[in-house]
Amino acid sequence: MRRPRTAARVTGTAVTGAGAEVLLETARLRLRRFTPDDAPHVLELDGDPAVVGPTGTFLKAGNRIPDATWSLTHTLGRFLAANGRDGPFGYWLAEDRAEAAFCGWFRFTRDGGDPAVVELGYRMRSALWGRGLATEGARALVARAFAEPAVERVVATARADNVGSCRVLEKAGLSLVGRFTGDGDLVRVAYACERGAWAGAAAPAE
């Protein structure tokens, strides 16, 4: 049984009202490029203890929540620098299609510059957790990755104790392939999906 694809409309060079390139749209989400005007969104997410704290999706050295300077120079600066540098790859802001409200962001980058491997990541506003938005966006990005002929593998990592993130990756079609120790001696888990497995598998349960 072949995997039913996540309904996603690839918009190519379409732009939002703010002039930002849109990568794709799903039933509820629009993924677009970051602009300098998105600084408040980055600050909001990096300032959310549920997202960046010890049990969140991100942990800065010393368990400190990133300050505004760090968030704008490191996080937003990295997102903006990636715009247009590698085709459809980079960091994509996720917004609600109906109201253009900020939901979070997705990482969709070449892993170490290898054209055959794409790294998937995400961070969503904690107020939106549990609604399936991360899974919806992640599935669409896995499908988008394999639409590129050169891509053979999609990879991702998560904290081993972040059950929610691990479940999102599994629902997106990735499988656990290993464990390793990351920064601060945190145990992390590695996930991957091969092109052949994606093409031949049934869609995971919601």
Side-chain angles (χ1 to χ4, degrees), residues 16-18 25-30 32 38 41 93-103 125 128 131 133:
T16 65
E25 292 180 340
T26 66
R28 295 178 291 174
L29 295 175
R30 176 182 299 111
R32 65 164 176 83
D38 293 315
H41 301 319
L93 181 146
E95 62 185 15
D96 175 79
R97 283 184 60 184
E99 299 179 357
F102 173 68
C103 298
R125 294 176 55 216
L128 302 177
R131 300 185 186 183
L133 292 172

Side-chain angles (χ1 to χ4, degrees), residues 88-150:
F89 303 104
Y91 297 86
W92 296 90
L93 181 146
E95 62 185 15
D96 175 79
R97 283 184 60 184
E99 299 179 357
F102 173 68
C103 298
W105 55 258
F106 286 88
R107 177 178 183 171
F108 185 61
T109 61
R110 306 272 192 176
D111 182 50
D114 185 342
V117 182
V118 170
E119 183 165 1
L120 174 68
Y122 75 93
R123 191 179 300 174
M124 305 295 286
R125 294 176 55 216
S126 60
L128 302 177
W129 292 357
R131 300 185 186 183
L133 292 172
T135 299
E136 186 174 312
R139 280 185 185 175
L141 285 174
V142 173
R144 180 64 182 82
F146 289 129
E148 295 290 319

Side-chain angles (χ1 to χ4, degrees), residues 5-16:
R5 299 297 187 228
T6 298
R9 182 166 65 90
V10 177
T11 59
T13 58
V15 296
T16 65

Side-chain angles (χ1 to χ4, degrees), residues 35 44 46 81 90 136 138 142 159 164-166 179 191 198 202 206:
T35 74
E44 175 192 355
D46 276 4
E136 186 174 312
V142 173
R159 286 184 51 161
S165 281
C166 294
R179 292 174 174 262
Y191 284 81
W198 172 261
E206 290 290 348

Side-chain angles (χ1 to χ4, degrees), residues 54-57 59 157-163 166 176 178-191:
T55 58
T57 58
L59 183 68
T157 64
R159 286 184 51 161
D161 59 355
N162 193 326
V163 177
C166 294
L176 180 67
R179 292 174 174 262
F180 64 98
T181 301
D183 295 339
D185 295 326
L186 293 171
V187 178
R188 299 186 66 84
V189 284
Y191 284 81

